[in-house]
Amino acid sequence: MAKTLLTRISKLEQYNIANKTVLWEDPTESRWVNVYGQLEPNDKAIFIAVDKLLIGTVGQVNNRQSILCNNIEEVICSNDQFLQLHEIYPELISRVKANFQPFIHPQTINITQLIADANSKQFVSYYIVSGIAKYDQFSFSLKINDRIILLNTTNKFINVKLHSATGLIDFIPTLNIGISVEGLTLDEVLEKNKSIKRKSAKSNNVNRIQNIKTTLAESGIYKFNTFFSYYDALYNKRVYGEGSHTGSLINRIKLKANESVFKISMSGKDISLDSFNHFVENNLLVVHSETPAKGTSYQTQGDTFAKQMKIGDYFYLCRGNNNLEVIGKISSETAKCEHDDFGVKGWLQRSYEIIEEAIREDSYQDVKKWWTPNDNSTCIVIPKHEINEANTHLFVPFFNTLFEYEENVSTNTNSTLPMDKSLNQILYGPPGTGKTYNTINKALEIIDEEEEKNLNWIDRENVKSLFDKRLDEGRIVFTTFHQSMSYEDFIEGIKPIEPEKEGDPVIYRVELGILRNLCIEAAFAIAQLRESKTTEEVLDFSILYDNFAEGIDEKILNGQKVELETKTGGTVLVESISQQGNFIIKHHDGTRTYTVSKARLTKLQYAIKNLDDISNINNQFREIIGGSNSSAYWSVLNAIRNVKPTKIIDKEKRNFTFEEKKEVVLSLSKSDYKNKNGKPFVLIIDEINRGNVSQIFGELITLIECDKRLGRNEALEVTLPYSKDKFGVPSNLSIVGTMNTADRSVEALDTALRRRFSFVEILPNYELEELNYMIAGHKASSILKTMNSRIEKLLDKDHAIGHSYFIKNEEESPTEKLIYSFYHNIIPLLKEYFFGDFGKIGLVLGNGFVRKTEWNKDTDSFADFDYESASEFEEREIYEIIDFRNTPKTLINIRSKGEVEVTFEKAIKLLMKDNIE
């Protein structure tokens, strides 16, 4: 069956009128792969000009260069009329707009019939009819193949049908043509269009749908002026989705390892609407050459566009977050922009071909990344490991398109250590192997924001700078366990609060610890994902409470008496507002005071919609908050609800106080965490095995398990002993610990801790480039490896020497570095490892560093004392460490050579068992 190529022709010089040929020249590689390569001689081609069609037969295909079409027939036909030719099946080629790309028609076209219909002006029309009776009344005036959309008896749209000599008939089923509004009423169609933000008034369907309603009510028949108005009103997937028809299957794009997908934004801040339309109509992307870098990246976005993006890469185009346009494929190198004075001002351009147009016109409102439309970025590559996330949130819903990398393409991010799926990890190993150093990388990998994805991991200064930034933001918290660390420091405890002024009594209150504070921040991040009505109510009430308490406190300070109504019609006195912001309430004839706390009052606010419905205040309040001061709580809550706010509550408030976050979190139930993944938080616990883990974690040793986290199927909460709050650990909090195996081996670690953490061993790395420097004829890495093999033989690998002690800075010489490390780090470690046994230290370092000292019985003898074993000690050998810091040379005795003068370098040679003179 012959195929038909459709393409727009703007350069009519390609058309030879005399010979009736079109020499179509297009060197674009991707079009030859995806379109032109399918053509063979005798296939058909339709070249669409401004006011005519050039229709001919493919004669010769010159691969990757040109196509020669013969027997060109010139047909006078405008673009609108072309889309009213039944034989072209316009519903299948809605892409034919001013900027469409060449494509092969999905159906076999009867070219002879098409030309005959065009020449005889047999253009179909498009109608909506109020019912079958109305259709029967005016069917005599219709043309064959006119499109008819009926409303049924419940005023819902029925799928499009064709008018024929015998009445209405369906399209051929294999065409799978269907309107997107099938099953909807006109009112529902109108509401959907009202809810969509359109690019311009010209494309606004609201007036058109209202006009359709009016016309149908008056005459029962509505005729569309153009195909595009018909298609936009009834098929627009941007507005209606896929409707009941799924003829448009997801477009799957296979990506090779060297292909990337970019975001390109041509914002209205920099590019006028007229210029933007010019670029879109001519398939041009423009980015300013000096567009700055994002975050801490060293590569500017201008360089990303000019140098990193290459021909064959994909992109999606948006105009800020106002609307998304197309997915395209880059088809040219970077050039100076030719439009107006853009090039003079530093703008660059690239050509592209359209792969898919957006199916929606509403703005993007999902997760925010550097590559999403709602981020203030211009040219950003989408990391390979995030392409699935981009599919879910962006490409499928807005373009009906799915990008897939070939199966052998890794989508993992680069990292110093392999990523572990466990939420709880311990990096363990000997001292100096970089455990704490690697927690920085590990924490940033877990945070996984755009700055992390674009981070140059080799640039340590850059990495540390970003880590410090995350510490300041509260996304990462660093702490060190020690023997004095307690449950009260880590979870919560009762602690004294310093009085505000001298003479005030010391008060005690529950203070939150390191882990609980971070859990609240992490849980609030989950609550923020889709701010529920509950969350909004809690935040609104928090502001109301604070405003009310502030006003009451001011009245009391001014000497005013403040009374609040009770449930029974009487009043209670507000004695004061405490330092914690609680109401201190007292009855008129009593001496006892009652505390009304913000946290408990928030629970009542959320649980009780109408205070008038309360019949038994004590029982009903105690079921919610416990305690015995129900009347006081009723009075304060009633007063807050009845007061007129003096400050406007800002619904868009985002700088929440920690107390507000805590109140939101306390209002959440376990079900509120289901299927929600908030932004990650990381707790780094250095030297985790130096603390009493069972005592520090307490009951939370269970809650940190992955399947016991909030949001998981086996989620658990406990009631904390001091605050009595319900508490669980959210699933977006990761714990990364470090453990020095020279202090305590993994096997000796608390069993409960071992079971809940995964362990990543960090061993000395002898392959580091920083250890390639030479000293005494040996690489530093070889010296380290030799020492560690001896230590492992004498002790075990847990007591190895870490590579960090051998890494020098650029200013240091190898000798300077190792002298410092040997005497400040390595030798002290060996003394600790071997409990001062210099003989074993000598087996590791050799006689260039350890030597025997002579015992002179005359001058160095013991004091006179009757001790029967004294003679044994006199025979005992004594060793000393040779110190090259102050004495660059010294004499030692070597068994085979006698007395030899050595330097530090010669001592290293002896360590490596080299012969020395």
Side-chain angles (χ1 to χ4, degrees):
M1 303 294 284
K3 297 178 284 291
T4 302
L5 169 71
L6 285 84
T7 185
R8 179 165 300 284
I9 184 168
S10 55
K11 298 178 180 179
L12 288 179
E13 58 267 25
Q14 293 176 291
Y15 172 38
N16 188 319
I17 299 177
N19 295 331
K20 295 189 178 299
T21 60
V22 169
L23 182 60
W24 183 251
E25 295 178 312
D26 186 349
T28 306
E29 174 71 17
S30 59
R31 291 179 188 166
W32 281 98
V33 172
N34 299 318
V35 182
Y36 305 142
Q38 302 177 42
L39 295 175
E40 298 173 345
N42 297 319
D43 282 337
K44 304 299 179 182
I46 302 175
F47 299 95
I48 304 170
V50 176
D51 56 0
K52 59 186 166 186
L53 307 175
L54 303 177
I55 304 175
T57 302
V58 175
Q60 182 180 339
V61 178
N62 189 3
N63 193 29
R64 288 341 193 235
Q65 294 184 35
S66 63
I67 301 168
L68 178 64
C69 294
N70 303 317
N71 306 317
I72 296 296
E73 187 163 349
E74 193 171 321
V75 179
I76 302 302
C77 179
S78 69
N79 282 194
D80 285 341
Q81 290 171 335
F82 177 64
L83 291 168
Q84 290 178 265
L85 293 170
H86 169 71
E87 193 58 41
I88 203 68
Y89 299 107
E91 288 86 353
L92 298 179
I93 60 168
S94 61
R95 69 176 82 179
V96 179
K97 297 181 179 180
N99 59 341
F100 83 95
Q101 298 296 305
F103 68 97
I104 304 294
H105 198 289
Q107 290 297 120
T108 301
I109 303 302
N110 186 334
I111 293 294
T112 303
Q113 185 63 54
L114 178 74
I115 293 173
D117 288 346
N119 287 331
S120 61
K121 308 300 182 185
Q122 292 298 311
F123 303 124
V124 299
S125 298
Y126 307 94
Y127 296 91
I128 297 177
V129 183
S130 60
I132 190 66
K134 178 59 68 174
Y135 165 76
D136 290 338
Q137 289 178 17
F138 89 109
S139 60
F140 68 92
S141 63
L142 297 174
K143 299 185 295 294
I144 299 300
N145 292 322
D146 277 351
R147 273 52 170 172
I148 308 296
I149 297 93
L150 295 176
L151 297 178
N152 65 17
T153 54
T154 58
N155 286 322
K156 293 183 177 179
F157 282 98
I158 300 172
N159 195 27
V160 60
K161 297 182 183 295
L162 300 172
H163 173 67
S164 72
T166 58
L168 293 176
I169 60 174
D170 292 323
F171 279 91
I172 300 169
T174 55
L175 295 177
N176 209 0
I177 292 175
I179 58 175
S180 298
V181 297
E182 184 177 3
L184 299 177
T185 66
L186 267 169
D187 287 333
E188 289 171 332
V189 170
L190 180 61
E191 288 306 310
K192 283 182 177 290
N193 279 278
K194 285 181 177 179
S195 66
I196 295 296
K197 182 179 179 180
R198 306 295 291 237
K199 295 179 186 176
S200 68
K202 290 191 293 184
S203 62
N204 195 333
N205 265 335
V206 173
N207 293 338
R208 183 182 294 129
I209 302 302
Q210 288 173 333
N211 190 24
I212 292 172
K213 282 187 64 176
T214 302
T215 304
L216 287 177
E218 293 174 351
S219 64
I221 302 170
Y222 180 86
K223 181 180 179 181
F224 289 94
N225 295 327
T226 65
F227 167 79
F228 282 119
S229 61
Y230 153 74
Y231 194 87
D232 198 29
L234 303 178
Y235 292 81
N236 196 326
K237 294 180 180 64
R238 304 183 187 199
V239 180
Y240 312 117
E242 291 292 342
S244 62
H245 285 261
T246 56
S248 179
L249 298 175
I250 289 180
N251 178 23
R252 295 178 180 271
I253 299 176
K254 287 285 187 182
L255 295 169
K256 295 182 175 66
N258 64 340
E259 292 178 338
S260 299
V261 185
F262 292 79
K263 168 200 173 177
I264 298 290
S265 176
M266 290 160 54
S267 170
K269 292 188 305 180
D270 307 307
I271 302 170
S272 69
L273 182 58
D274 286 343
S275 293
F276 179 79
N277 289 336
H278 166 82
F279 294 133
V280 169
E281 288 171 5
N282 289 277
N283 292 3
L284 292 173
L285 300 176
V286 294
V287 169
H288 199 280
S289 59
E290 295 181 3
T291 306
K294 286 286 288 183
T296 56
S297 173
Y298 286 117
Q299 178 167 281
T300 68
Q301 294 179 83
D303 281 346
T304 299
F305 182 74
K307 299 174 183 178
Q308 183 178 351
M309 184 183 276
K310 58 188 179 299
I311 294 175
D313 280 338
Y314 293 85
F315 68 91
Y316 81 89
L317 173 63
C318 61
R319 186 157 169 80
N321 197 24
N322 291 329
N323 50 269
L324 290 94
E325 296 290 332
V326 297
I327 289 175
K329 196 170 186 179
I330 300 299
S331 60
S332 79
E333 298 291 353
T334 310
K336 187 176 180 181
C337 185
E338 298 173 355
H339 177 65
D340 290 345
D341 59 352
F342 273 66
V344 177
K345 293 180 177 179
W347 289 83
L348 305 173
Q349 70 179 34
R350 301 187 81 143
S351 299
Y352 65 87
E353 62 175 288
I354 295 175
I355 300 300
E356 202 70 47
E357 292 184 331
I359 60 172
R360 287 166 52 180
E361 290 196 7
D362 53 318
S363 60
Y364 174 91
Q365 299 293 335
D366 214 322
V367 296
K368 186 174 183 180
K369 300 273 189 176
W370 277 7
W371 47 261
T372 55
N374 56 347
D375 185 85
N376 185 26
S377 58
T378 300
C379 181
I380 290 291
V381 67
I382 301 176
K384 290 181 179 179
H385 65 277
E386 290 202 348
I387 201 68
N388 290 332
E389 186 176 2
N391 286 331
T392 300
H393 298 293
L394 179 63
F395 293 129
V396 172
F398 281 88
F399 295 97
N400 199 40
T401 296
L402 191 75
F403 285 100
E404 297 173 309
Y405 276 98
E406 294 176 343
E407 290 184 5
N408 61 342
V409 177
S410 171
T411 57
N412 290 328
T413 183
N414 285 333
S415 62
T416 303
L417 296 173
M419 278 295 290
D420 195 311
K421 293 182 179 179
S422 173
L423 292 171
N424 309 314
Q425 303 174 57
I426 289 179
L427 311 185
Y428 72 99
T433 51
K435 298 177 294 297
T436 305
Y437 180 97
N438 272 296
T439 60
I440 293 177
N441 297 51
K442 180 68 72 173
L444 292 177
E445 290 172 13
I446 294 169
I447 295 296
D448 202 33
E449 297 284 4
E450 287 301 324
E451 287 182 83
E452 281 77 9
K453 290 180 175 58
N454 291 280
L455 187 60
N456 178 5
W457 294 92
I458 298 175
D459 187 341
R460 187 62 184 180
E461 185 178 347
N462 207 3
V463 172
K464 187 61 169 61
S465 174
L466 182 55
F467 178 78
D468 291 339
K469 177 182 176 182
R470 297 299 183 219
L471 283 174
D472 293 340
E473 293 172 351
R475 297 285 300 280
I476 299 173
V477 171
F478 187 98
T479 188
T480 302
F481 274 9
H482 49 81
Q483 293 178 344
S484 297
M485 178 74 78
S486 67
Y487 178 91
E488 287 73 18
D489 299 316
F490 197 57
I491 311 300
E492 66 172 22
I494 297 176
K495 297 187 177 182
I497 305 302
E498 184 180 355
E500 289 187 355
K501 59 180 184 289
E502 189 175 348
D504 285 354
V506 175
I507 60 174
Y508 294 83
R509 71 179 179 196
V510 176
E511 286 286 297
L512 307 189
I514 296 166
L515 180 61
R516 193 174 175 205
N517 276 328
L518 193 56
C519 283
I520 288 173
E521 295 285 356
F524 184 75
I526 292 177
Q528 270 190 305
L529 284 179
R530 299 177 184 86
E531 288 186 3
S532 63
K533 185 179 179 183
T534 302
T535 301
E536 290 294 333
E537 288 176 353
V538 170
L539 294 173
D540 288 351
F541 183 72
S542 173
I543 299 171
L544 288 173
Y545 181 100
D546 292 343
N547 290 345
F548 183 69
E550 184 182 327
I552 295 297
D553 194 37
E554 189 174 336
K555 289 180 180 179
I556 294 172
L557 290 174
N558 290 332
Q560 297 181 42
K561 182 179 180 181
V562 180
E563 296 179 307
L564 304 178
E565 293 183 3
T566 64
K567 171 74 173 171
T568 57
T571 60
V572 291
L573 295 171
V574 180
E575 186 173 78
S576 65
I577 303 297
S578 72
Q579 291 182 17
Q580 294 77 42
N582 298 325
F583 285 79
I584 308 301
I585 304 294
K586 188 169 72 172
H587 291 284
H588 284 280
D589 54 354
T591 56
R592 181 181 176 184
T593 59
Y594 299 88
T595 299
V596 175
S597 73
K598 184 178 183 180
R600 291 187 174 185
L601 202 67
T602 300
K603 292 180 181 179
L604 290 172
Q605 164 72 9
Y606 175 58
I608 300 172
K609 301 304 178 187
N610 190 343
L611 288 174
D612 293 335
D613 294 338
I614 300 297
S615 56
N616 188 322
I617 185 172
N618 287 328
N619 291 342
Q620 289 176 265
F621 272 36
R622 286 175 184 175
E623 284 180 6
I624 301 169
I625 61 171
S628 59
N629 50 348
S630 303
S631 179
Y633 272 97
W634 189 97
S635 297
V636 176
L637 183 56
N638 178 66
I640 291 175
R641 287 186 175 185
N642 288 328
V643 73
K644 185 176 181 181
T646 57
K647 297 180 181 178
I648 297 174
I649 298 174
D650 183 4
K651 295 290 184 181
E652 297 301 316
K653 179 179 178 181
R654 287 297 178 265
N655 293 322
F656 304 112
T657 66
F658 181 79
E659 285 303 315
E660 288 172 334
K661 295 176 183 178
K662 178 183 172 186
E663 287 159 20
V664 169
V665 171
L666 290 175
S667 73
L668 301 176
S669 64
K670 285 195 288 187
S671 62
D672 291 323
Y673 294 89
K674 279 285 187 182
N675 302 318
K676 292 184 180 178
N677 296 309
K679 60 185 180 181
F681 288 74
V682 183
L683 173 62
I684 298 174
I685 305 174
D686 203 26
E687 306 285 1
I688 191 170
N689 55 322
R690 282 193 171 275
N692 186 333
V693 175
S694 297
Q695 178 188 28
I696 294 170
F697 275 87
E699 66 271 41
L700 267 70
I701 200 69
T702 299
L703 300 188
I704 65 171
E705 288 186 49
C706 293
D707 63 335
K708 304 299 189 300
R709 299 290 190 101
L710 295 172
R712 304 292 174 89
N713 292 334
E714 300 295 321
L716 289 178
E717 288 183 317
V718 298
T719 300
L720 294 174
Y722 295 105
S723 64
K724 308 303 179 187
D725 291 334
K726 289 284 186 183
F727 178 67
V729 179
S731 56
N732 60 330
L733 171 62
S734 295
I735 301 175
V736 178
T738 70
M739 191 173 71
N740 187 340
T741 54
D743 290 336
R744 183 186 299 174
S745 71
V746 177
E747 289 72 27
L749 194 63
D750 187 292
T751 304
L753 181 74
R754 286 175 54 203
R755 189 163 56 82
R756 289 169 172 88
F757 281 81
S758 65
F759 289 84
V760 180
E761 188 173 25
I762 311 295
L763 294 173
N765 186 350
Y766 306 113
E767 305 303 321
L768 289 174
E769 286 187 19
E770 293 91 332
L771 301 186
N772 283 338
Y773 64 87
M774 303 293 291
I775 180 171
H778 295 275
K779 284 186 178 181
S781 58
S782 298
I783 299 169
L784 176 63
K785 193 171 185 178
T786 299
M787 292 169 57
N788 281 337
S789 67
R790 294 169 183 171
I791 293 170
E792 186 173 352
K793 190 72 173 176
L794 293 168
L795 290 171
D796 50 48
K797 69 176 183 179
D798 289 338
H799 290 78
I801 301 295
H803 50 258
S804 66
Y805 299 126
F806 277 66
I807 296 176
K808 67 182 188 69
N809 59 45
E810 293 180 359
E811 291 76 25
E812 289 179 306
S813 71
T815 301
E816 287 174 336
K817 173 60 186 177
L818 287 195
I819 286 178
Y820 182 88
S821 290
F822 263 68
Y823 293 103
H824 288 85
N825 304 116
I826 296 171
I827 291 174
L829 274 177
L830 294 176
K831 288 179 180 178
E832 183 182 331
Y833 289 171
F834 296 115
F835 299 98
D837 187 336
F838 281 78
K840 290 181 179 178
I841 297 174
L843 291 175
V844 174
L845 299 181
N847 53 15
F849 288 97
V850 182
R851 66 184 169 193
K852 291 181 183 179
T853 59
E854 297 296 328
W855 173 266
N856 189 320
K857 292 182 179 180
D858 296 328
T859 59
D860 299 329
S861 60
F862 292 122
D864 291 334
F865 185 75
D866 187 13
Y867 180 54
E868 61 182 13
S869 300
S871 60
E872 296 177 12
F873 288 106
E874 286 183 348
E875 300 302 323
R876 182 182 176 189
E877 293 181 338
I878 301 174
Y879 299 89
E880 68 175 353
I881 298 293
I882 300 172
D883 193 340
F884 288 102
R885 287 175 292 181
N886 300 318
T887 306
K889 296 179 181 180
T890 189
L891 294 174
I892 64 170
N893 279 303
I894 298 178
R895 189 180 307 162
S896 60
K897 294 181 180 292
E899 194 171 74
V900 176
E901 185 180 73
V902 296
T903 61
F904 181 80
E905 287 80 3
K906 285 186 177 182
I908 294 293
K909 284 181 174 290
L910 289 170
L911 186 156
M912 299 300 290
K913 303 183 75 170
D914 290 346
N915 288 322
I916 63 170
E917 296 298 329

